Amino acid sequence: MNEYVPGLEGVPATKSNISFIDGEKGILAYRGYAIETLAERSTFEETALLLLDGNLPTRAALKEFDRDMRARRRVKFRIRELMRALPPNAHPMDMLQSMVNCLGMYYPGAEGPAGDAAADLAYVHDVSVSILARMPTLVAMWEHIRNGYDPIEPRTDLTTAENFLWMLTGEEPDRYIARILDICLILHAEHTINASTFAVLVAGSTLASPYSVIASGIATLSGPLHGGANQAVVKMLEEIGSPDKAEAYIDAQIKQKKKIWGFGHREYNVKDPRAVILEHLMRKMIEYREGRVGPLFEIAQAVERAATERLGPKGVYPNVDFYSGVLYREMGIAPDQFTSIFAIARAAGWLAHWKEQLGQNRIFRPTQVYTGELNRQYIPIEQRG
Ligand SMILES: CC(=O)SCCNC(=O)CCNC(=O)[C@H](O)C(C)(C)COP(=O)(O)OP(=O)(O)OC[C@H]1O[C@@H](n2cnc3c(N)ncnc32)[C@H](O)[C@@H]1OP(=O)(O)O
Ligand SMILES: O=C([O-])CC(=O)C(=O)O
């Protein structure tokens, strides 16, 4: 069993009952519920609790979770001061990774589980709420702090998505747009053992602080081969500039063996079911805005047609990152914030996996295939030439 598989493709690294993918049929389910059903009927808060606890919550459990989340949105003055000390051009994902780690120095829970099953369940729930409630606050606060303004205080009368838009813009959130964002959060909340979730499992398996565990996930999500692709997609669409230039751009990229951002997935050989929903949400947005939207969607549609024609035969189709940025751009969100929005949603899945890992924990310690030399003679520096 010492065969090396690059990228661990197809190698099971854990057992999990959190989510399921059928990459041939384009199926994704969280805890057995189809993603399409959750997108239509659930909310981010309910989905987060479903992921954490395994079942759809009772009305009372959801009410309590929602109340806790709202009550814990604020962050301490010290956290705000630390954020002010960061360079204004810091990438939001770097800010988020650092500040989530800092949360662990200011709020309880960094000590890790005690080793008592019942106490640990309460502990895991408590620290999960602490992280889930405050990550959107950090992201929205950063938008103001990096631009030299005072951040906007969170409100307790709004949902996670509504409050995020409120904190970002200082304007009363449009309920229709906030519901679109809410669905985006549901769609990004979980996706089996992807790179960032694997990082979370590895860090969690050492019994590290959950704040550090989530910071590992944020670091890993930030790369353009993973969550960072949503920012890269919008940059690519802006570079293309108009739908009629899409074909030539795609041809040139493929010829130079460069990536088409937002395309391809280790698990799917068909169009990602979340990309299907995000595209549909964009159409809803266009309808709602009576056609008054920017040019990015039409360019994205032209890129999808051209890239699918050329890469489809290899099983390379749009992934979740392809249409999300187009939607966020329509919400007036800065492109370098897109991956942070992904992170505030994915934190629900990361925490669910952290909890599951603690229940079946064994430290991750794989092996390697050594390709170096052995028994080399040490040559004193004077004799090395
Ligand atoms: C939330 C997420 O993480 S979703 C993924 C977000 N990432 C991106 O959108 C970045 C662009 N996509 C990619 O880089 C890749 O598709 C990944 C990283 C997502 C998956 O990588 P892998 O499973 O290792 O796929 P791999 O690189 O082996 O690709 C298989 C073939 O499809 C091609 N291919 C895959 N994705 C792309 C792409 N985006 N553009 C052009 N060609 C691609 C590869 O060149 C390769 O072709 P070959 O067999 O002729 O050499
Ligand atoms: O599953 C993956 O490899 C990438 C990921 O996190 C997602 O698509 O949401």
Side-chain angles (χ1 to χ4, degrees):
M1 235 303 265
N2 270 347
E3 196 197 335
Y4 164 58
V5 181
L8 299 184
E9 179 167 1
V11 178
T14 192
K15 281 185 176 178
S16 179
N17 57 24
I18 300 173
S19 61
F20 169 82
I21 296 170
D22 182 329
E24 303 294 328
K25 296 196 181 120
I27 292 173
L28 170 63
Y30 299 169
R31 300 288 192 185
Y33 296 96
I35 192 66
E36 292 78 7
T37 308
L38 294 172
E40 194 185 324
R41 305 187 57 181
S42 189
T43 60
F44 174 63
E45 290 80 357
E46 182 184 69
T47 296
L49 205 46
L50 167 70
L51 289 169
L52 289 171
D53 290 352
N55 292 304
L56 283 172
T58 61
R59 196 189 292 265
L62 181 57
K63 202 169 162 199
E64 193 185 329
F65 177 71
D66 202 25
R67 198 185 50 222
D68 273 7
M69 288 272 284
R70 290 172 189 227
R72 291 208 243 170
R73 279 178 184 154
R74 278 172 189 279
V75 295
K76 292 185 188 206
F77 175 74
R78 291 270 182 210
I79 298 279
R80 180 185 300 194
E81 289 310 294
L82 281 168
M83 289 176 78
R84 283 197 213 279
L86 297 175
N89 62 352
H91 193 283
M93 286 296 274
D94 292 334
M95 174 287 298
L96 193 60
Q97 187 199 341
S98 310
M99 296 316 300
V100 165
N101 244 146
C102 288
L103 289 179
M105 301 176 215
Y106 287 91
Y107 292 96
E111 68 282 0
D116 166 75
D120 284 353
L121 268 186
Y123 160 80
V124 165
H125 183 84
D126 189 70
V127 83
S128 298
V129 175
S130 171
I131 293 172
L132 284 174
R134 294 187 178 107
M135 278 177 64
T137 302
L138 295 173
V139 174
M141 279 172 71
W142 181 238
E143 194 54 40
H144 300 285
I145 291 177
R146 70 173 171 173
N147 287 309
Y149 301 113
D150 281 335
I152 292 167
E153 290 298 324
R155 281 168 47 181
T156 53
D157 61 326
L158 300 174
T159 66
T160 299
E162 289 166 356
N163 180 63
F164 181 72
L165 290 176
W166 154 252
M167 288 192 70
L168 210 55
T169 62
E171 286 166 19
E172 200 54 36
D174 176 320
R175 296 295 191 271
Y176 192 85
I177 302 295
R179 173 62 185 150
I180 291 182
L181 179 59
D182 186 45
I183 298 172
C184 291
L185 296 180
I186 295 172
L187 298 179
H188 286 84
E190 160 62 11
H191 209 246
T192 77
I193 186 172
N194 53 83
S196 56
T197 303
F198 187 38
V200 159
L201 291 188
V202 174
S205 82
T206 71
L207 304 184
S209 151
Y211 296 93
S212 305
V213 167
I214 298 305
S216 310
I218 296 168
T220 312
L221 186 70
S222 68
L225 294 188
H226 193 10
N230 57 9
Q231 182 182 349
V233 168
V234 162
K235 187 164 177 271
M236 172 182 82
L237 299 178
E238 282 168 353
E239 249 169 61
I240 295 172
S242 62
D244 56 308
K245 304 219 173 83
E247 286 215 13
Y249 179 93
I250 298 301
D251 277 337
Q253 291 293 106
I254 292 175
K255 202 166 160 207
Q256 294 170 61
K257 298 208 174 305
K258 287 192 182 159
K259 302 272 184 196
I260 312 301
W261 301 110
F263 262 72
H265 202 286
R266 180 66 63 77
E267 290 291 300
Y268 295 112
N269 293 320
V270 295
K271 186 167 173 178
D272 186 326
R274 299 163 300 173
V276 174
I277 302 173
L278 289 163
E279 185 184 356
H280 172 73
L281 288 177
M282 189 58 209
R283 292 189 196 287
K284 290 290 215 193
M285 170 90 89
I286 294 171
E287 231 174 81
Y288 183 65
R289 295 253 169 94
E290 295 173 340
R292 287 187 297 276
V293 294
L296 291 183
F297 183 60
E298 279 196 24
I299 305 172
Q301 294 267 282
V303 168
E304 178 176 350
R305 280 192 298 273
T308 299
E309 204 181 303
R310 290 151 181 85
L311 298 173
K314 286 189 191 177
V316 173
Y317 291 93
N319 60 48
V320 69
D321 288 324
F322 191 68
Y323 284 110
S324 60
V326 177
L327 271 163
Y328 299 151
R329 204 72 199 100
E330 283 304 327
M331 294 177 193
I333 299 171
D336 65 352
Q337 289 276 27
F338 298 168
T339 317
S340 333
I341 299 176
F342 192 153
I344 64 184
R346 184 55 60 88
W350 289 334
L351 288 160
H353 281 274
W354 171 64
K355 179 179 180 182
E356 188 173 63
Q357 178 64 31
L358 291 179
Q360 58 188 24
N361 197 41
R362 190 165 185 219
I363 192 167
F364 276 91
R365 204 315 178 184
T367 189
Q368 63 169 17
V369 176
Y370 179 62
T371 60
E373 297 176 44
L374 287 172
N375 301 323
R376 298 179 81 184
Q377 291 296 317
Y378 183 87
I379 301 168
I381 195 157
E382 316 77 66
Q383 295 171 26
R384 283 180 218 159

